[in-house]
Amino acid sequence: MNAAHYRRVGDTALVRRWLIGTAVVLTVALLAMPLLMIFVQAFSQGWSTYVANVLDEFTLSAIGLTLLVAVLTVPLNLVFGVFFAWAVTRFTFPGRKLLTTLIDIPFAVSPVVAGLLYLLLYGNNGWVGQWLGEYDVQLMFSWPGIVMVTLFVTCPFVARELIPLMQQQGREEEEAAVVLGASGWQLFRRVTLPNIRWALIYGIILTNARAVGEFGAVSVVSGNIRGETNTLSLHVELLYQDYNVVGAFAAASLLAALALLTLIAKSFVEWRQSKD
Amino acid sequence: MTQTLAAGSLPRKKVRSVTARVLPGFGLSLGISLFFISLVLLLPMTGLVMHTAGMGWDNFWFVVTDPRVVASYKVTLWTALAASVFNCFFGLLLAWVLVRYDFVGKRLLDAIMDLPFALPTAVAGITLATLFADNGLYGQMLTAIGVKVAYTPLGIVVAMAFTSVPFVVRTVQPVLEELSPEDEEAAVSMGASDFTVFRRILFPALWPAIVTGGALSFTRSLGEFGAIIFIAGNMPYVSEVTSLMIFIRLQEYDFPAASAIAAVVMAVSLLLLLLINVWQGRYLKRLHGGA
């Protein structure tokens, strides 16, 4: 290692200590303290109040709806993400660049605008909404609408994790497998999947985190009916606006716990990836 | 279809067009991708286009130049800019510390960097509002020195900065890791000061990544909603962001006005997305230019 012999910028003990110190202090103030604050507030009236808040009828139904949204959107985006990454990394065709730019739209568009797009199309004034209305199908202000906008905001995650990795790995192994007579499914299961599994898991973790926590888009199409169309994020807002701060933080602590699990899972996946 | 597409790209990339026929699933994967993108991303945009086109130019202009809406553009733009500039400095510092030094708790510091993406925005919103409220932990300290953050545009800056922390860190980190040490070590050993070496050798290599991260942070901040509404106070003309304006128009059932403002926001974000993509393409080409 050359680095051990030559001095580089910022190697002086003073600079080093000062930079690490500033970084740690800023991170604790900006990121760690807010995280800690969620749990401090949630438990501020004791354990029994916390349990009562979490087991509240409306909180439980919000948890149920949130899980339903995740269970429906994550697998759909998983399938789409894999096919999309396969199409744009394994083949060359006109419009490939455009396609990879299009997939970024949900990252650039404000969640409120995303919700509005769906409301304008599927709401009572929208052309699809009017047509569906004739058959008494109401998608907006009910759970299918929440699932639809969540699908919109989370659709890039799996594809965006897979594309750089699959590009970097190239297609030689897969071509060899095809030449040796592997069927499409065998090719995917035996060759592609083992190579991309950690990136795939990472994509699923990110999709799940966003699907569970989405707020802006969901609040446009939800209608906020307590016990019916309230996701956990919306429930947090509702309790907070009702000045039930401790209740709001109790619900928020569930989401924060999930965020912590997400970070741990992410670190684990990165550690496994670096071992492969 | 596959044949013609492959033949079309034959003169430029001979090898690739051959592999297009070797690997299976071109039709299926492209078909599913196009179907999904059309249904989930593109079809919903037709609603916005139809609602906006139906209102006529004069009406559209009247709605999007309403003084309260214009005030919201201004607040959103300057707060997003301030938050992104903060994140450029913070991100560079954190990327530097995480790449260059070894210390106790480094892995923890690295892991918590992603918290803003993992934590739902509404949760971030109520937490920041509680911390920065006048009787909150930070609010008390800041009030003592005469700074008011909660329920002012400064609160918007805090919320935007929080939600977009990871962008600059995560774009600068890999670039810093792959930077070859030769030039830097040569300059240092010949007696150049750390500051000079940073300015003349390191910064020129890092700034494209800093700009990319900053632009991503800016785009995200422009659209942020959940984290902001709790801490901003949402006073008309003072601390209302544009995404909240759209939300308010919707609650008034003024769909044309909501669509018009959304069309403006959408146009700006799509333009930014395009610029970032072009910029990244160019910058990546320059990185691989030598190869």
Side-chain angles (χ1 to χ4, degrees):
Chain A
M1 284 285 278
N2 280 341
H5 301 288
Y6 296 100
R7 211 178 68 76
R8 295 175 73 178
V9 172
D11 277 356
T12 356
L14 185 71
V15 174
R16 197 187 115 94
R17 242 177 267 160
W18 198 80
L19 288 179
I20 295 177
T22 316
V24 169
V25 168
L26 279 176
T27 307
V28 167
L30 194 63
L31 301 178
M33 272 307 289
L35 185 61
L36 185 66
M37 184 55 76
I38 299 167
F39 294 98
V40 169
Q41 290 281 340
F43 289 101
S44 60
Q45 286 175 7
W47 177 252
S48 54
T49 314
Y50 177 78
V51 173
N53 275 327
V54 170
L55 295 181
D56 173 81
E57 172 196 354
F58 293 125
T59 308
L60 286 180
S61 78
I63 294 172
L65 179 60
T66 305
L67 289 178
L68 175 74
V69 170
V71 163
L72 290 174
T73 50
V74 173
L76 278 172
N77 275 326
L78 171 68
V79 172
F80 161 70
V82 170
F83 276 112
F84 186 87
W86 182 260
V88 300
T89 62
R90 292 302 178 250
F91 307 102
T92 341
F93 51 91
R96 194 171 60 110
K97 282 245 167 65
L98 178 70
L99 215 55
T100 42
T101 306
L102 281 180
I103 189 79
D104 280 341
I105 288 178
F107 282 163
V109 167
S110 168
V112 175
V113 174
L116 176 74
L117 291 178
Y118 275 78
L119 196 57
L120 291 177
L121 184 67
Y122 296 101
N124 291 331
N125 297 319
W127 61 271
V128 177
Q130 276 171 353
W131 178 73
L132 287 172
E134 289 170 21
Y135 300 91
D136 274 333
V137 178
Q138 166 104 16
L139 295 176
M140 293 297 112
F141 308 119
S142 64
W143 68 265
I146 296 176
V147 172
M148 288 158 76
V149 293
T150 308
L151 207 56
F152 177 95
V153 294
T154 56
C155 75
F157 286 105
V158 172
R160 282 300 299 263
E161 285 310 313
L162 293 183
I163 290 169
L165 181 72
M166 287 173 70
Q167 240 158 13
Q168 185 203 333
Q169 285 176 342
R171 39 197 143 186
E172 284 79 11
E173 280 184 46
E174 280 142 358
E175 280 160 15
V178 171
V179 172
L180 291 172
S183 71
W185 173 243
Q186 280 177 325
L187 170 69
F188 178 73
R189 214 178 64 82
R190 300 268 184 84
V191 183
T192 311
L193 192 59
N195 282 336
I196 62 166
R197 63 180 168 199
W198 294 113
L200 196 63
I201 291 173
Y202 188 21
I204 294 172
I205 294 170
L206 291 177
T207 308
N208 182 59
R210 183 68 194 263
V212 166
E214 178 49 35
F215 176 74
V218 167
S219 83
V220 171
V221 301
S222 139
N224 286 347
I225 306 164
R226 231 179 258 239
E228 272 181 49
T229 60
N230 232 3
T231 63
L232 207 44
S233 262
L234 295 174
H235 193 55
V236 167
E237 186 208 12
L238 210 68
L239 292 171
Y240 191 79
Q241 308 288 19
D242 282 351
Y243 300 102
N244 182 357
V245 175
V246 178
F249 275 102
S253 74
L254 300 173
L255 291 165
L258 184 79
L260 274 176
L261 278 179
T262 304
L263 293 183
I264 293 169
K266 179 181 178 285
S267 300
F268 175 75
V269 166
E270 276 172 351
W271 172 70
R272 282 305 307 248
Q273 258 178 332
S274 68
K275 271 179 65 177
D276 277 0
Chain B
M1 186 69 181
T2 316
Q3 293 279 341
T4 37
L5 288 179
S9 57
L10 200 79
R12 278 183 290 130
K13 287 175 179 168
K14 223 171 187 173
V15 185
R16 289 193 173 186
S17 65
V18 175
T19 58
R21 269 171 271 144
V22 173
L23 290 180
F26 177 67
L28 181 68
S29 61
L30 187 63
I32 288 182
S33 301
L34 288 177
F35 174 73
F36 192 94
I37 285 187
S38 308
L39 194 68
V40 173
L41 293 183
L42 301 179
L43 182 67
M45 291 194 201
T46 61
L48 183 71
V49 173
M50 284 169 76
H51 275 260
T52 318
M55 65 191 295
W57 176 254
D58 289 341
N59 205 355
F60 175 84
W61 190 249
F62 178 76
V63 168
V64 300
T65 56
D66 175 76
R68 188 171 158 194
V69 177
V70 171
S72 85
Y73 300 147
K74 286 181 186 160
V75 173
T76 311
L77 283 173
W78 84 253
T79 51
L81 193 66
S84 317
V85 169
F86 169 82
N87 272 331
C88 284
F89 285 103
F90 180 75
L92 177 62
L93 172 70
L94 262 297
W96 180 272
V97 166
L98 289 172
V99 172
R100 286 300 183 96
Y101 305 134
D102 273 313
F103 53 93
V104 185
K106 176 173 150 166
R107 291 201 60 161
L108 198 63
L109 195 68
D110 194 21
I112 204 175
M113 267 317 113
D114 287 314
L115 177 72
F117 286 173
L119 195 69
T121 52
V123 176
I126 65 166
T127 311
L128 292 173
T130 308
L131 273 173
F132 283 95
D134 286 345
N135 57 357
L137 192 63
Y138 294 170
Q140 282 174 346
M141 289 191 271
L142 289 165
T143 313
I145 55 167
V147 181
K148 200 167 155 43
V149 171
Y151 315 123
T152 73
L154 265 185
I156 303 176
V157 178
V158 169
M160 284 175 170
F162 178 88
T163 47
S164 54
V165 155
F167 286 112
V168 180
V169 187
R170 297 304 187 213
T171 44
V172 174
Q173 227 173 350
V175 178
L176 200 55
E177 259 161 19
E178 277 167 29
L179 215 59
S180 58
E182 288 88 9
D183 290 351
E184 184 190 339
E185 284 169 0
V188 171
S189 64
M190 284 192 288
S193 74
D194 276 12
F195 181 72
T196 310
V197 180
F198 184 82
R199 195 170 56 90
R200 302 280 293 270
I201 292 171
L202 294 174
F203 190 71
L206 293 178
W207 75 270
I210 300 174
V211 170
T212 308
L216 290 170
S217 159
F218 183 71
T219 312
R220 167 73 197 253
S221 298
L222 284 185
E224 187 47 46
F225 175 72
I228 294 172
I229 55 166
F230 297 98
I231 197 175
N234 307 325
M235 273 165 55
Y237 299 97
V238 179
S239 57
E240 267 180 347
V241 291
T242 308
S243 49
L244 178 68
M245 272 321 303
I246 299 172
F247 198 80
I248 291 172
R249 291 288 179 259
L250 268 177
Q251 285 185 322
E252 294 164 348
Y253 298 104
D254 192 346
F255 284 84
S259 342
I261 303 167
V264 172
V265 173
M266 184 106 170
V268 173
S269 19
L270 290 184
L271 191 69
L272 272 168
L273 176 67
L274 202 68
L275 285 176
I276 294 173
N277 266 294
V278 170
W279 167 259
Q280 271 180 318
R282 218 190 237 179
Y283 152 62
L284 284 178
K285 254 179 227 151
R286 231 175 48 187
L287 261 186
H288 299 298

